[in-house]
Amino acid sequence: MTGERARGLFELTRPINAVAAGALTFIGAFVVGGLDRPAMVAAAAGATVLAVAAGNTMNDYFDREIDRINQPDRAIPRGAVTPREALVSSLVLFAGAVALSLFLPLLAVAIAVVNLLALVAYTELFKGLPGVGNAVVGYLGGSTFLFGAAAVGRVTAAVVVLFALAALSTVAREIVKDVEDLAGDREEGLKTLPIAVGERTALWLAVGLLAVALAASPLPYVQGTFGWPYLVVVALADLAMIYAAVESFADPTAGQEHLSYAMFLAAAAFVVGRVAVAL
């Protein structure tokens, strides 16, 4: 295998995104106090990394014609990797994710099965349906936390709030990203939400979803699960989300990037909350 081909296959996995998803699974386990089961946490995090890498690779396989317009520098459009090589690589990565998931409790296995099916079906079945594809991606993003908690057998109210916060903010980010990708999606004949209802209406829907997420964010403090350190950090995350939402109307590219940062800051709030409780 040539260096360019190996580099192209690695790029297809979006390694930073895949490792970040594994970190979110770890956070899900940490928030519920599951680090006393390190083997389960490692298996769940590893399965998440492989599954996300596989999903990203398969997404590029199916999106190769759209990417010739929107992302011509990606591995398949520029000729570093053939479509067949990308497909085979994604199947190998999926197999690795399945193998690691089989070591986990039944609920975690069920989440893994649903997620793997959603990843495989996303581009062909869901992506072009207005709002549906966004909802699937939102669920997948939020479920990383649930998966980590389920892997150690401790799904708590706090991690459910974290799931909801992550899912809603991810859906909002995906809507903004669809606004950013409008030209290529329209050329390919996809009917994404901004194409179906208009850019500004779609952006206002994203704002509405973020408002629900922000309203839910104080619940772990209100319920007494976490104390004031959690509230301080999650308030900063909420402010970052508000800024990104406003920014999206003028610059969707910057807005969706800053929403990603705000989501990780929200996850950090749960880590801070858990650490503060443990001290």
Side-chain angles (χ1 to χ4, degrees):
M1 182 182 292
T2 65
E4 175 63 15
R5 184 171 300 165
R7 186 163 53 251
L9 288 172
F10 186 64
E11 284 176 23
L12 288 175
T13 67
R14 312 283 199 284
I16 294 176
N17 289 347
V19 172
L24 298 182
T25 295
F26 175 86
I27 290 172
F30 177 76
V31 165
V32 298
L35 298 192
D36 57 343
R37 305 188 71 184
M40 294 299 187
V41 176
T48 300
V49 171
L50 292 176
V52 172
N56 287 336
T57 301
M58 184 163 285
N59 186 63
D60 272 21
Y61 168 78
F62 284 119
D63 270 1
R64 57 192 183 275
E65 296 304 324
I66 298 175
D67 285 344
R68 295 187 197 283
I69 301 169
N70 286 341
Q71 304 285 348
D73 291 332
R74 285 186 174 175
I76 297 176
R78 75 170 188 267
V81 176
T82 67
R84 178 180 174 80
E85 289 168 341
L87 181 60
V88 170
S89 177
S90 71
L91 294 176
V92 171
L93 291 166
F94 273 126
V98 170
L100 285 175
S101 297
L102 294 178
F103 292 98
L104 302 175
L106 186 58
L107 178 58
V109 172
I111 294 172
V113 169
V114 170
N115 288 5
L116 288 171
L117 290 174
L119 281 166
V120 171
Y122 167 70
T123 302
E124 285 297 281
L125 297 180
F126 302 128
K127 185 175 182 179
L129 298 176
V132 177
N134 306 132
V136 171
V137 174
Y139 159 76
L140 289 170
S143 70
T144 54
F145 299 107
L146 283 181
F147 185 53
V152 296
R154 301 170 193 166
V155 177
T156 66
V159 84
V160 171
V161 172
L162 179 53
F163 159 74
L165 183 61
L168 290 169
S169 55
T170 300
V171 174
R173 176 184 175 273
E174 286 298 306
I175 291 172
V176 175
K177 195 171 186 303
D178 280 347
V179 172
E180 178 190 8
D181 293 341
L182 195 63
D185 289 343
R186 183 176 280 134
E187 180 75 19
E188 190 64 18
L190 296 178
K191 199 170 179 62
T192 59
L193 196 63
I195 293 173
V197 303
E199 293 179 45
R200 291 192 67 82
T201 300
L203 288 171
W204 277 113
L205 286 171
V207 169
L209 291 170
L210 285 174
V212 176
L214 268 56
S217 64
L219 284 177
Y221 174 79
V222 173
Q223 294 169 338
T225 304
F226 298 138
W228 66 265
Y230 163 80
L231 194 62
V232 170
V233 181
V234 86
L236 293 174
D238 289 349
L239 289 173
M241 287 186 187
I242 292 170
Y243 173 82
V246 173
E247 182 181 41
S248 296
F249 284 87
D251 188 348
T253 300
Q256 63 94 6
E257 287 178 357
H258 292 152
L259 271 175
S260 294
Y261 303 148
M263 287 157 53
F264 279 103
L265 185 56
F270 284 79
V271 173
V272 169
R274 177 65 192 177
V275 170
V277 168
L279 292 177

